[in-house]
Amino acid sequence: MTATTGTVPAEGAAGGAAPASAAPRRRRLRTGALVPWGFVGPFLALFTLCFLLPILYALHQSFIQVRRHGLFGEEGRETVFAGFANYTRALGQESFVDSVGRVLLFGVVQVPVMLGFALVLALLLESASAKWPGFFRALYFMPYGVPGVVASLLWGFLYVPGLSPILDVAALVGLEPDLLGPNSVLWSIANIITWLFIGYNMLILIAQLKTIPSELYESARIDGAGPLQTAWHVQLPLIRPALVLTTVFSIIGTLQLFAEPQILAAFTVNIDSAYTPNMAAYNSAFTDNDYNVAAAQSVIVALTAFVLSFGFLWLVNRKDRQR
């Protein structure tokens, strides 16, 4: 009797305890799996709303046309699938094709110059003999904090004869440069972009330089390497990923050139409404009211940036594999 009554509750307790403890454990596991989504969810929602959906909408708009019936469109309108007609019209605009070639020339010259200056500044500020590196890092980075519109207005007045102290000093030595002329305005824009982004790229390179172990510098000094040899054989190979990253960012930024020429257009007649691809798309949308062609131009710019960026990455990876 005693053994029987003692065994039954024990079995019942054991049999009932397992499901009771397993259910909360499953709920905790389910809740734990949802916690990361709680942190990532807001970003994914904003990313989808502000990035993916606009891209998909622009892609959709680039393949349709709105046709109006009647003399003034009073008989109605219909939306039809246009295939690649909008892309044909976009590429048929000589001004748009010229703008693409213009920014490609801009990038070929400006990007290496800007990254070259950023690299030199980063190496100098991370050298052992650098004095007040924190102060100079902040000083060189400061232009990046200036909005592009403000920087364009600032430099625009510095380019105007009669207002610019730069031109006044040049006149004292017998020089009269036309910084807003048809052959020089593109490089005046390049100067603004370089001034704005040297500090930004410099900080990326400095962050990579700080990851280099101090033992490598000591080994280089023991081997008799000077500052230039250390920079060439130790630092440059190890900051290669940062150089690749800044180059890709610069390629994409070059094709997105908009605010600086748009502001400088008020200072000179040598910048028209289709001076860059983004300006051409803006003009098609809000001046010509042809949103479908503007969408096609935007997609072309995006595809060009994609091809150039991944082409550059493929070239870099190919060289790495050949080593």
Side-chain angles (χ1 to χ4, degrees):
M1 294 288 296
T2 305
T4 304
T5 54
T7 305
V8 173
E11 290 179 352
S21 61
R25 190 180 302 114
R26 284 196 297 269
R27 282 196 297 269
R28 284 196 300 270
L29 290 174
R30 226 178 287 120
T31 305
L34 294 176
V35 168
W37 290 104
F39 289 100
V40 178
F43 164 77
L44 292 178
L46 289 174
F47 180 78
T48 302
L49 182 65
C50 301
F51 188 78
L52 289 181
L53 289 181
I55 289 176
L56 294 176
Y57 181 72
L59 193 62
H60 166 72
Q61 288 290 317
S62 69
F63 285 104
I64 65 173
Q65 284 182 354
V66 177
R67 295 178 181 174
R68 294 173 175 84
H69 301 286
L71 183 60
F72 300 103
E74 72 280 359
E75 296 181 7
R77 47 179 283 181
E78 63 174 342
T79 302
V80 298
F81 177 73
F84 291 97
N86 292 321
Y87 292 92
T88 303
R89 292 169 59 197
L91 294 174
Q93 295 180 6
E94 185 177 354
S95 59
F96 175 71
V97 176
D98 290 343
S99 71
V100 175
R102 188 176 294 114
V103 295
L104 291 178
L105 173 63
F106 176 94
V108 167
V109 176
Q110 188 268 337
V111 170
V113 170
M114 177 181 64
L115 295 182
F117 277 119
L119 177 61
V120 170
L121 289 176
L123 292 174
L124 289 176
L125 290 177
E126 284 302 298
S127 64
S129 59
K131 295 183 179 180
W132 307 317
F135 169 76
F136 285 105
R137 278 200 299 267
L139 182 67
Y140 297 141
F141 182 75
M142 196 176 298
Y144 181 70
V146 179
V149 173
V150 176
S152 301
L153 287 172
L154 170 67
W155 281 99
F157 285 110
L158 292 176
Y159 292 152
V160 175
L163 298 176
S164 172
I166 298 175
L167 296 180
D168 291 340
V169 172
L172 294 177
V173 296
L175 299 175
E176 296 182 0
D178 184 6
L179 299 179
L180 295 175
N183 297 323
S184 58
V185 67
L186 182 65
W187 311 118
S188 296
I189 298 172
N191 173 67
I192 299 174
I193 301 298
T194 303
W195 181 77
L196 280 172
F197 288 96
I198 278 182
Y200 171 79
N201 291 295
M202 176 199 70
L203 282 189
I204 295 177
L205 297 176
I206 286 177
Q208 185 79 54
L209 283 170
K210 288 186 177 298
T211 64
I212 300 176
S214 58
E215 292 82 2
L216 292 179
Y217 292 115
E218 294 176 3
S219 300
R221 283 194 295 269
I222 292 173
D223 291 339
L228 291 179
Q229 292 174 316
T230 301
W232 184 259
H233 295 288
V234 177
Q235 292 174 308
L236 284 181
L238 293 177
I239 66 171
R240 184 183 175 89
L243 287 171
V244 172
L245 178 67
T246 52
T247 303
V248 171
F249 283 171
S250 300
I251 291 172
I252 296 173
T254 296
L255 289 164
Q256 294 178 344
L257 193 62
F258 179 79
E260 292 77 14
Q262 182 84 349
I263 298 300
L264 282 185
F267 295 88
T268 177
V269 296
N270 295 309
I271 298 179
D272 57 21
S273 59
Y275 194 74
T276 68
N278 274 357
M279 290 178 67
Y282 181 88
N283 183 67
S284 297
F286 300 107
T287 302
D288 300 336
N289 292 322
D290 197 339
Y291 298 103
N292 304 118
V293 170
Q297 291 171 332
S298 301
V299 172
I300 291 172
V301 172
L303 287 176
T304 304
F306 176 84
V307 170
L308 291 177
S309 300
F310 279 87
F312 173 75
L313 291 174
W314 175 83
L315 184 62
V316 169
N317 291 332
R318 182 187 178 191
K319 288 183 177 179
D320 288 341
R321 288 193 299 267
Q322 290 176 349
R323 291 180 178 180

